[in-house]
């Protein structure tokens, strides 16, 4: 029973992190119908920013370590905007869907390898400082790590904030308009390019928050940290229904659970294979995902 | 005689003459016991051969059918491991002892064929479900399949350190029965060249046949193609399997010219020359929909890779240039983005290179340039 409960908590924690990343995938996909392969690498950017800013925060300013996330969010947003401006926008304006896709893969590789080429980062993994001091809560006989609670709370809060942003603000309305019909949105006075840029910035900021929560639990940052995390989060986004915010959250939690239960009860080597199998099965049975809308292709 | 036949005859004749020249060149070099030839030129020829097959086979799916698959290196891994393990099994069974003679040739043919067939079989199993999707989803699902293939090979109990013996398979397969030493590579170099010529010819025949026309129709408009009575999913799976077969053959060539195999070589993005992204770079650079373009791009990218890895110019370059070129994948992905942004159709576009058209093509390019210079 204890194993079951602790596995459940690990699953919830992992799932919350996947959900945070999946939200970024879903937002960008919803608006430009393209998978941003480089999204996973925004996590890496955020992670390294945290590694470099957290010592400054604690030693020079005396603030808690997690406040470094402010810088991580800023840097990630800038990188996200740059990727859109330098690569995706020119290709989207003149190329086909295929060339946009290839550009996205290339951008992901560029970010990963560029990070290695920067002397301060280098190819070796870096160990960040402790973010949340180790402590735990005991509730009705179950011990829960505080980091786990923070992760779940933060992911939930982000989800609520994002839903409010999309549903209640004028920017959110613009986003929904662009995702539904770009030409009509332009006619209604929405600046499509600016909306897409802002979406990239928000998606990348979510990746920075995910990076904070991830390295709080697994304190190791390396240049390919984002590729497997990003891929699993993508699986989560597809599972929940890409383009749907609650879907991303649900998908993230399911994937997190699946992974932690496979590791606990079957084998840790099979965890990744299992996650990809889920993806394949979902794509075959219901390609639009659990909460996705089925759109018919018209000629 | 039609112009088409003339073109074929001319190209075949030139290839035959080039092969003959290479044959005499090799013999004279062997007599002179030229070390540079043995250790540098011949391994390059081998590598170019499998790169050409790989990029051409990926072009069938990516360029002619318009579907992005990133599982190509997974199929190559299957080919490489199948041929290596099979030849190793024959060697352990005592079917051949030295790497020459009739018995070895039989084993060679068997392992090449099996490498291709097994890859094609896995391609069929992967392709039937995967090709129901398109675009981004297909890319992701093939990425997943590529990873699963490598993961499974890693966990095979018999693909371990010594091959066919128990051991952790994530590391290399040493004592590869098929692996050629540098001298054997010189002796068998025509095997690689002939297999490449054979593979490319068959792929050419494929794209010139009714199948090729059908898959190009699918690329241009899937719904219209279906309305014209083309069985879209049948042709998609067929092309995928066809392409996987040749990727497997390329894998077998790969395991011939490498003494050891490791699954790390076949993952999605490693820093060596061989990964699925590098293949995509080759296809895009050569032109999606041009087999000759793929061949030219494969050789070009191979030379570029060599230039980066072994060039002496690098040590005299400024520090930051050295750092950047220390990560070749960075250079390749930048090339990929630049090509896609500024010349999305690559070197050849949809056109094929043929000697009979060369004078006319040159004339056209030259006159275009002249026009540009004159400001027309």
């Amino acid at each position: 029973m204890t194993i079951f409960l602790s596995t459940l908590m690990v699953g919830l924690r992992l799932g919350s992190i996947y959900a945070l990343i999946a939200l970024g995938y879903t937002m960008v996909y919803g608006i430009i119908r393209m998978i941003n392969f480089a999204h996973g690498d925004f996590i890496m950017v955020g992670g390294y920013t945290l590694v470099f800013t957290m010592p400054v925060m604690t030693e020079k300013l005396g603030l808690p370590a997690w406040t470094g996330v402010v810088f991580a969010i800023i840097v990630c947003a800038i990188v996200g905007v740059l990727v859109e401006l330098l690569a995706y926008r020119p290709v989207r304006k003149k190329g086909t869907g295929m060339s946009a896709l290839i550009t996205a893969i290339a951008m992901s590789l560029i970010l990963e390898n560029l990070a290695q080429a920067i002397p301060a980062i280098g190819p070796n993994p870096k160990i960040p400082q402790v973010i949340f001091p180790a402590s735990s809560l005991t509730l009705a006989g179950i011990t829960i790590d505080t980091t786990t609670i923070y992760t779940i709370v933060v992911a939930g809060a982000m989800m609520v904030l994002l839903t409010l942003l999309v549903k209640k603000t004028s920017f959110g309305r613009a986003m929904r308009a662009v995702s539904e019909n770009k030409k009509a949105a332009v006619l209604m006075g929405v600046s499509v390019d600016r909306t897409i840029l802002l979406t990239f910035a928000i998606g990348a900021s979510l990746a920075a928050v995910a990076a904070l929560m991830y390295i709080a639990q697994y304190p190791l940052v390396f240049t390919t940290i984002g590729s497997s995390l990003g891929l699993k989060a993508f699986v989560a986004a597809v599972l929940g229904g890409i383009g749907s915010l609650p879907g991303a959250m649900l998908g993230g939690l399911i994937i997190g659970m699946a992974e932690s239960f496979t590791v606990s009860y079957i084998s840790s080597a099979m965890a990744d294979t299992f996650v990809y199998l889920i993806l394949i099965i979902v794509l075959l049975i219901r390609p639009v995902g659990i909460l996705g809308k089925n759109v018919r292709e018209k000629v | 005689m039609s112009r088409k036949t003339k073109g074929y005859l001319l190209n075949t004749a030139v290839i035959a003459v080039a092969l003959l020249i290479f044959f005499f060149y090799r013999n004279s070099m062997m007599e002179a016991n030229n070390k540079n030839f043995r250790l540098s030129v011949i391994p390059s020829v081998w590598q170019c051969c499998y790169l050409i097959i790989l990029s051409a086979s990926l072009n069938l799916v990516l360029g002619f059918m318009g579907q992005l698959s990133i599982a190509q290196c997974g199929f190559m891994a299957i080919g490489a491991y199948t041929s290596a393990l099979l030849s190793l099994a024959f060697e352990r069974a005592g079917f051949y002892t030295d790497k020459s003679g009739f018995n070895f040739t039989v084993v060679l043919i068997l392992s090449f064929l099996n490498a291709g067939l097994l890859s094609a079989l896995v391609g069929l199993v992967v392709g039937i479900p995967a090709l129901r999707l398109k675009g981004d989803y297909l890319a992701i699902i093939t990425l997943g399949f590529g990873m699963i293939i490598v993961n499974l090979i890693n966990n095979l109990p018999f693909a371990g350190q010594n091959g066919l013996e128990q051991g952790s398979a994530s590391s290399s397969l040493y004592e590869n029965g098929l692996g050629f030493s540098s001298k054997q590579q010189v002796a068998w170099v025509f095997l690689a060249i002939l297999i490449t010529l054979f593979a490319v010819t068959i792929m050419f025949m494929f794209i010139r046949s009714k199948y090729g026309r059908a898959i190009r129709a699918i690329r241009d408009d899937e719904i219209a193609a279906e309305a014209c009575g083309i069985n879209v999913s049948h042709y998609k799976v067929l092309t995928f399997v066809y392409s996987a077969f040749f990727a497997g053959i390329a894998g077998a060539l790969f395991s011939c010219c490498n003494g050891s195999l490791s699954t790390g070589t076949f993952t999605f993005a490693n820093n060596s020359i061989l990964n699925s992204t590098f293949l995509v770079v080759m296809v895009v650079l050569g032109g999606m929909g041009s087999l000759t373009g793929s061949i030219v791009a494969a050789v070009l990218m191979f030379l570029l890779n060599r230039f980066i890895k072994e060039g002496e110019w690098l040590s005299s370059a400024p520090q930051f240039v050295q750092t950047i070129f220390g990560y070749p994948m960075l250079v390749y992905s930048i090339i990929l983005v630049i090509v896609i942004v500024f010349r999305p159709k690559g070197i050849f576009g949809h056109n094929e290179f043929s000697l009979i058209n060369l004078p006319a093509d040159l004339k056209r390019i030259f006159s275009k340039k002249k026009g540009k210079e004159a400001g027309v």
Side-chain angles (χ1 to χ4, degrees):
Chain A
M1 194 60 195
T2 3
I3 297 177
F4 177 80
L5 282 174
S6 63
T7 312
L8 190 75
M9 290 321 284
V10 171
L12 274 178
R13 186 183 66 219
L14 267 179
S16 307
I17 295 170
Y18 291 151
L20 277 176
I21 311 167
L23 286 173
Y25 270 115
T26 275
M27 283 175 62
V28 170
Y29 186 87
I31 202 159
I32 54 174
R33 305 281 148 200
M34 185 197 84
I35 292 167
N36 180 11
F37 271 86
H39 190 74
D41 298 295
F42 296 159
I43 302 164
M44 179 266 297
V45 173
Y48 276 110
T49 318
L50 282 169
V51 167
F52 292 121
T53 54
M54 282 191 308
V56 179
M57 284 308 210
T58 47
E59 283 159 26
K60 299 258 168 71
L61 302 174
L63 293 167
W66 60 265
T67 46
V69 78
V70 177
F71 292 99
I73 288 178
I74 295 171
V75 173
C76 276
I78 293 173
V79 172
V81 167
L82 279 181
V83 166
E84 151 71 6
L85 279 181
L86 293 180
Y88 294 167
R89 184 177 290 177
V91 171
R92 195 170 56 241
K93 293 260 147 108
K94 59 195 224 185
T96 56
M98 172 78 85
S99 46
L101 188 59
I102 294 174
T103 318
I105 294 174
M107 279 324 282
S108 151
L109 284 171
I110 287 180
L111 283 178
E112 270 170 32
N113 287 285
L114 198 63
Q116 289 188 26
I118 295 172
I121 294 176
N124 294 328
K126 292 219 181 299
I127 300 173
Q129 65 184 107
V130 177
I131 295 175
F132 301 117
S135 63
S136 54
L137 278 178
T138 311
L139 266 179
I142 317 154
T143 324
I144 310 169
D145 208 17
T146 34
T147 315
T148 307
I149 299 174
Y150 289 145
T151 311
I152 297 169
V153 170
V154 166
M158 283 292 159
M159 163 80 198
V160 172
L161 277 178
L162 212 59
T163 314
L164 286 179
L165 178 83
V166 172
K167 289 264 156 75
K168 302 279 176 192
T169 63
S170 64
F171 167 68
R173 206 155 45 235
M175 250 177 84
R176 277 179 289 148
V178 173
S179 111
E180 226 163 72
N181 190 334
K182 282 203 185 60
K183 276 179 194 156
V186 171
L187 292 178
M188 297 300 121
V190 175
S191 167
V192 171
D193 281 347
R194 207 181 60 202
T195 312
I196 293 176
L197 260 191
L198 263 172
T199 311
F200 263 90
I202 294 173
S205 324
L206 285 172
V209 178
L212 175 79
M213 300 333 269
Y214 189 73
I215 63 175
Q217 191 65 38
Y218 309 95
L220 196 66
V221 182
F222 44 96
T223 50
T224 50
I225 187 172
S227 51
S228 80
L229 258 182
L231 208 59
K232 281 180 201 157
F234 173 77
V235 177
V238 173
L239 176 63
I242 201 151
S244 137
L245 296 182
M249 201 75 190
L250 180 69
L253 288 178
I254 294 176
I255 293 293
M257 291 290 178
E259 188 177 338
S260 88
F261 277 96
T262 322
V263 170
S264 287
Y265 289 98
I266 303 174
S267 125
S268 58
M270 292 304 285
D272 285 6
T273 309
F274 202 70
V275 169
Y276 297 130
L277 271 182
I278 292 183
L279 171 76
I280 290 163
I281 293 167
V282 169
L283 285 180
L284 295 180
I285 296 173
R286 194 176 153 79
V288 288
I290 300 173
L291 299 179
K293 270 178 277 173
N294 208 347
V295 184
R296 275 183 176 275
E297 198 175 351
K298 288 179 191 154
V299 190
Chain B
M1 197 160 42
S2 74
R3 187 179 156 76
K4 206 168 150 189
T5 330
K6 264 189 207 159
Y8 282 139
L9 282 180
L10 181 67
N11 288 338
T12 318
V14 169
I15 290 172
V17 169
L19 270 184
L20 214 64
I21 293 173
F22 183 75
F23 181 73
F24 287 119
Y25 173 67
R26 183 194 74 145
N27 284 358
S28 69
M29 281 296 171
M30 262 164 82
E31 269 168 31
N33 206 1
N34 189 324
K35 220 172 177 180
N36 181 43
F37 178 77
R38 189 164 50 120
L39 297 180
S40 167
V41 176
I42 287 292
S44 308
V45 172
W46 277 84
Q47 288 194 33
C48 279
C49 282
Y50 65 72
L51 285 178
I52 286 173
I53 300 184
L54 272 177
S55 64
S57 69
L58 183 62
N59 205 346
L60 288 184
V61 176
L62 176 59
F64 290 95
M65 198 165 66
Q67 313 287 330
L68 178 57
S69 152
I70 348 187
Q72 208 70 2
C73 276
F75 296 126
M76 185 184 176
I78 293 174
Y81 272 87
T82 312
S83 60
L85 286 170
L86 201 65
S87 61
L88 201 59
F90 275 108
E91 192 180 28
R92 295 278 158 88
F95 191 68
Y96 69 93
T97 43
D98 59 335
K99 285 169 188 167
S100 58
F102 176 73
N103 280 5
F104 184 63
T105 319
V106 171
V107 172
L108 215 52
I109 294 170
L110 266 181
S111 45
F112 269 86
L113 264 183
N114 274 306
L117 288 178
L118 198 65
S119 299
L121 192 68
V122 177
L124 184 70
V125 174
V126 171
I128 289 176
L131 287 164
R132 288 170 58 183
L133 308 159
K134 50 190 162 183
D136 305 8
Y137 290 102
L138 181 69
I140 289 278
I141 207 169
T142 49
L143 181 67
F145 271 121
M147 284 183 167
I148 289 179
I149 289 171
V150 169
N151 230 333
L152 285 180
I153 295 177
N154 263 342
N155 288 313
L156 284 182
F158 52 82
Q161 287 278 357
N162 283 316
L164 302 177
E165 277 168 23
Q166 203 73 25
S168 139
S170 56
S171 51
S172 311
L173 171 72
Y174 291 117
E175 297 171 31
N176 170 7
L178 207 61
F180 287 156
S181 68
S182 60
K183 269 187 187 156
Q184 284 154 341
Q185 282 190 23
V186 178
W188 287 94
V189 69
F190 280 97
L191 171 82
I193 295 176
L194 286 179
I195 285 180
T196 311
L197 274 178
F198 185 64
V200 171
T201 313
I202 292 184
M203 282 190 256
F204 256 111
M205 286 160 71
F206 180 74
I207 57 160
R208 294 264 160 99
S209 69
K210 74 167 191 178
Y211 300 98
R213 282 193 296 278
I215 61 169
R216 268 178 286 172
I218 292 173
R219 172 192 65 197
D220 293 339
D221 192 329
E222 211 172 307
I223 297 171
E226 201 158 12
C228 293
I230 292 170
N231 187 343
V232 172
S233 48
H234 170 78
Y235 278 100
K236 275 185 173 176
V237 173
L238 179 80
T239 316
F240 198 71
V241 170
Y242 209 76
S243 153
F245 177 82
F246 288 109
I249 298 269
L253 273 179
F254 175 84
S255 68
C256 272
C257 64
N258 283 275
S260 68
L261 288 178
S262 139
T263 46
T265 327
F266 304 106
T267 47
F268 166 58
N270 53 25
N271 268 318
S272 78
I273 181 168
L274 256 177
N275 59 55
S276 298
T277 325
F278 187 79
L279 298 181
V280 174
V281 181
M282 290 195 292
V283 172
V284 172
L285 181 69
M288 287 188 267
S290 165
L291 278 185
T292 38
S294 289
I295 296 169
V296 171
V299 177
L300 273 183
M301 289 302 285
F302 170 76
L303 291 177
L304 177 73
N305 184 60
R306 220 180 143 75
F307 186 62
I308 289 174
K309 286 250 165 92
E310 292 167 20
E312 283 177 3
W313 60 278
L314 209 54
S315 46
S316 59
Q319 184 59 43
F320 79 97
V321 177
Q322 277 193 39
T323 332
I324 286 180
F325 279 87
Y327 297 95
M329 264 333 279
L330 183 59
V331 182
Y332 304 144
S333 11
I334 292 175
I335 293 176
L336 184 56
V337 172
I338 290 176
V339 170
I340 284 208
V341 171
F342 293 105
R343 198 182 159 83
K345 61 180 184 171
I347 301 176
F348 285 94
H350 285 325
N351 305 319
E352 299 289 356
F353 175 83
S354 174
L355 282 169
I356 202 163
N357 296 330
L358 191 61
D361 286 343
L362 281 179
K363 220 175 176 177
R364 211 184 54 234
I365 294 169
F366 191 64
S367 63
K368 232 192 228 168
K369 267 192 188 150
K370 240 180 169 174
K372 262 186 199 160
E373 276 161 17
V376 178

